[in-house]
Amino acid sequence: MPPTPTRSEFRLGTAPGGLPQIGHAMEFQKRPLEFITSLAPCGDLVEFRLGETPVYLVRHTELIQDMLRDTRTFDKGGPIFEKSRAFFGNGLASSEDAIHRRQRPLVQPSMHVRRIAEYVEVMREEAVKVTESWTEGRSIGITAAMQALTTGVTARTMFSTGGGPDAVAEVHHCLPIILRGVYLRMTAPEEMVEQLPAAERAEFDDALARLHGLVDKIIEDYRRSGVDHGDALSMMLSARNEDGEGLTDQEIHDNVLNLFSGGVETTASSLAWTFHLLAEHPEIERRMHDELDGVLDGRAPANDDLNRLPFTRRVFTEALRLYPPVWLVSRTAPTDAELGGHPVPAGSTLMYSPYVVHRDPEVFADPDTFDPDRWLPERMRTHPRGAMIPFGAGRRKCLADNFAMTEGVLALAIIGSRWRLRHAPGTTVTTHVAATLGPGPLPMTPEARRTGAGLAAPR
Ligand code: HEM
């Protein structure tokens, strides 16, 4: 592990190229992942420009931690978050520090470990449901299948009774359209959005209106009935701070949308990448199957079983390292600031990329190799502080990291106990860059590992 530079030794670099007025906007727009990755050798903090705005790619793990832990100096704001707020409101993911400090303790209990243990049954049911229609040898789009799974899990843990199966179907229809549309509107110039075909704009507006309407209706129903359903929405409705204040209906609405936008594609992409990696590494897949067979022996896992599947957890963790779905995260400096001994002028945007950090050979040895055993306790100690950041860090760390890990390991256990997935013939896997980093549709062919109707109930 290289020694940590002292503050005066962090290297400030400048991105090569850049055009008058637009700076590096075209390269960033066209090939964002390649562009960000290409900046890595330029310094610990690398300056470039998007239009007139100075942007810093924060590269060194120590500087990333400094930035993420000082939430007043490096806040969420600026044009990117203003656009996101226009669609998703002012919930945890996009609110400024002062609002976030009030909201987070009121939303956090919905993701408490005790709650997550109660959500395991829903996660199990959804994983079983998604695979029910699979037959030996008939290809399925694994990304769409995993999105169906995570939509069902997120919707049912959020509002277990609200809207019934129709609500899940409605979210499943609207969310991908919204996420695609919001990403485009956040990253593309206004003129480009205005030139989109009328049908595409109408589809986006319709999906947004339907999802907002659905969430409003469910909140209203819950308020009227006053029943605690033991789900995330009931928790948000009843949460109070030490002054006895709760969240307003608008804040709850915005946070429900944040949980959907943050929770569905992320976990689905991670699972899809995991199946891709397992298919490419049959020896690792065999070890995971051996663990599942040894611990579960054909039963569906219960919450207590999850601790007894350390290799499966390491597989999912390693997939998150190689393909962190949230590949780029940004902050803004509302006033003049300093990072790593270098001035950062007010109005600058700062970004860090978990993808770039996780693949940096100075951070992880042999970074492009899929090696779940790097998460063995004795090897974990050798990774630098802040090396593994798929869920971010500090006060704004993912609200649902434990939830996502539970959902991921459980889905791998249920699917892996029954099926082995192989790339469909002729498939070339490429990295699709949008709000999340995904493997595209990823057609895979299930091969049955066990015959029979399905998994026995957990003990
Ligand atoms: C593998 C799955 C997931 C990954 C990799 C992931 C990653 C992240 C990251 C990197 C952040 C921090 C962004 C920042 O610093 O600006 C974040 C925040 C957040 N995530 Fe996740 N996430 C995942 C799953 C989920 C799920 C399942 C949910 C909800 C059900 C969720 C809800 C949120 C929310 C609400 C925030 C904002 C937290 C705050 O600012 O207080 N995420 N996530």
Side-chain angles (χ1 to χ4, degrees), residues 61-243:
T61 50
E62 290 290 328
L63 297 186
I64 294 171
Q65 292 297 315
D66 287 354
M67 174 180 79
L68 292 181
R69 287 175 197 282
D70 186 352
T71 53
R72 284 202 173 93
T73 308
F74 303 110
D75 201 353
K76 296 211 173 178
I80 297 179
F81 286 105
E82 274 156 31
K83 287 187 191 162
S84 152
R85 279 182 211 130
F87 303 110
F88 293 134
N90 212 2
L92 287 182
S94 55
S95 56
E96 285 174 1
D97 189 50
I99 296 174
H100 182 267
R101 278 171 194 258
R102 197 183 77 75
Q103 284 191 10
R104 175 102 183 199
L106 293 163
V107 184
Q108 188 73 63
S110 61
M111 290 293 159
H112 191 277
V113 271
R114 271 202 310 279
R115 282 274 152 167
I116 295 172
E118 289 163 18
Y119 300 151
V120 161
E121 199 178 319
V122 168
M123 294 176 179
R124 196 169 50 228
E125 281 172 15
E126 291 298 317
V128 170
K129 192 159 93 194
V130 158
T131 55
E132 262 165 7
S133 58
W134 293 6
T135 48
E136 171 98 34
R138 204 177 72 209
S139 288
I140 38 148
I142 200 73
T143 302
M146 293 305 103
Q147 269 179 24
L149 190 164
T150 58
T151 306
V153 170
T154 313
R156 288 185 55 207
T157 50
M158 198 127 23
F159 28 81
S160 53
T161 61
D166 290 352
V168 179
E170 187 74 345
V171 175
H172 193 48
H173 168 78
C174 295
L175 199 61
I177 301 170
I178 295 172
L179 291 178
R180 222 178 22 248
V182 170
Y183 179 72
L184 183 84
R185 284 157 181 79
M186 279 169 73
T187 54
E190 214 110 305
E191 315 80 68
M192 199 175 134
V193 176
E194 278 160 20
Q195 282 162 19
L196 287 175
E200 199 176 321
R201 275 185 286 148
E203 186 188 45
F204 174 75
D205 294 342
D206 173 63
L208 203 57
R210 278 165 63 176
L211 191 64
H212 280 298
L214 175 78
V215 172
D216 276 339
K217 177 166 181 320
I218 294 172
I219 294 175
E220 199 186 309
D221 289 351
Y222 269 49
R223 280 263 189 240
R224 201 174 318 116
S225 81
V227 175
D228 179 351
H229 297 284
D231 52 24
L233 180 54
S234 296
M235 285 300 283
M236 280 194 243
L237 285 162
S238 63
R240 295 289 175 272
N241 64 18
E242 57 277 16
D243 300 324

Side-chain angles (χ1 to χ4, degrees), residues 76 92 100 104 262-263 266 270 325-326 329 331 390-392 396 398 400:
K76 296 211 173 178
L92 287 182
H100 182 267
R104 175 102 183 199
T266 45
S270 312
V326 181
V329 176
R331 293 290 187 269
F391 295 108
R396 314 291 299 234
C398 181

Side-chain angles (χ1 to χ4, degrees), residues 357-429:
V357 173
H358 294 173
R359 297 212 180 216
D360 182 344
E362 288 190 3
V363 177
F364 287 104
D366 222 353
D368 295 332
T369 303
F370 179 52
D371 174 12
D373 286 338
R374 57 173 103 232
W375 302 107
L376 281 167
E378 61 276 19
R379 283 183 63 191
M380 271 170 76
R381 281 191 280 276
T382 65
H383 309 320
R385 181 181 85 110
M388 180 65 180
I389 41 174
F391 295 108
R395 241 175 232 286
R396 314 291 299 234
K397 188 177 182 197
C398 181
L399 179 83
D401 51 346
N402 290 324
F403 178 101
M405 288 304 296
T406 303
E407 188 181 4
V409 174
L410 202 89
L412 286 181
I414 288 177
I415 297 170
S417 289
R418 210 39 241 281
W419 300 100
R420 178 183 299 111
L421 290 162
R422 288 289 166 264
H423 294 112
T427 303
T428 324
V429 182

Side-chain angles (χ1 to χ4, degrees), residues 328-367:
L328 192 65
V329 176
S330 79
R331 293 290 187 269
T332 190
T335 52
D336 285 343
E338 175 265 307
L339 191 63
H342 300 287
V344 173
S348 302
T349 296
L350 298 101
M351 294 178 174
Y352 82 90
S353 168
Y355 182 91
V356 171
V357 173
H358 294 173
R359 297 212 180 216
D360 182 344
E362 288 190 3
V363 177
F364 287 104
D366 222 353

